[in-house]
Amino acid sequence: MGKQETAEEVVRRLGRECFGFLTEAGFTGPHYIDGGFDYAGHGLRITIYRYYWKNEAEVVADVYVLGDVGSGLRSGVHQLSAECGLGAVNHLPSNARSARLTELRVRTFAAALKCLLPFLLAPDRAALIRRASTRL
C-alpha cells in the first residue's frame, strides 16, 4: 500500500496538469504559494489554493488585477463565470476535506477558467472583474 496524497499535494500536482493552458496563453507559472499555486500574466494573477481553518477546508480560485488599472480588484472564478453568463461553477460541495473532493474542485475550476480565458484577455477585464466582485 502506497502513501496517500494529501489535499495540498493534490492541488500542487494538478497545477501543471490542469492549468497548462494558461502558460500557452502567455501566463507564467505555476508559482507555488502556501497551499497552492498561482499564474501571472496579462496584468492578472490567477490563484488556486486550498485552505484549512477551524475544521473548514475549501479550494478557492481567484483572479486579481495587477498594475495601475484596477489594482487590488479580486473576484472568484465562480463569480466571474456567473457574470459572463457561463453558468454556475460551484455544483460541487464547497467543503474539500478529502483529496478526492479537492481534485474534483481543482478540475472544475480549471474547466471554468478555460471558458473564462477569452473574457479575461479582453481589454475590459478590469471592469468585468469589478462587476463580478460585487456578485454574491
Side-chain angles (χ1 to χ4, degrees), residues 84-108:
C84 293
L86 300 175
V89 173
N90 286 341
H91 61 280
L92 296 170
S94 62
N95 183 322
R97 285 190 167 173
S98 71
R100 179 66 181 141
L101 271 177
T102 298
E103 181 174 348
L104 288 172
R105 287 191 59 81
V106 170
R107 289 185 186 281
T108 300

Side-chain angles (χ1 to χ4, degrees), residues 7-8 10 29 31 36-38 42 44 50 59 62 84-85 87-88 91 105 108 114 117 121-122 125 132 135:
E8 285 84 9
V10 169
H31 308 285
F37 57 92
D38 68 6
H42 303 284
L44 300 171
R50 180 183 182 273
V59 175
D62 290 326
C84 293
H91 61 280
R105 287 191 59 81
T108 300
K114 193 175 275 192
L117 201 55
L121 297 179
R125 64 181 165 257
R135 285 183 164 269

Side-chain angles (χ1 to χ4, degrees), residues 50-97:
R50 180 183 182 273
Y51 78 88
Y52 184 83
W53 185 74
K54 291 188 179 183
N55 294 329
E56 291 183 27
E58 190 172 346
V59 175
V60 179
D62 290 326
V63 178
Y64 296 84
V65 177
L66 303 175
D68 296 336
V69 179
S71 183
L73 281 176
R74 175 190 70 82
S75 180
V77 168
H78 62 285
Q79 294 165 306
L80 284 164
S81 185
E83 183 64 32
C84 293
L86 300 175
V89 173
N90 286 341
H91 61 280
L92 296 170
S94 62
N95 183 322
R97 285 190 167 173

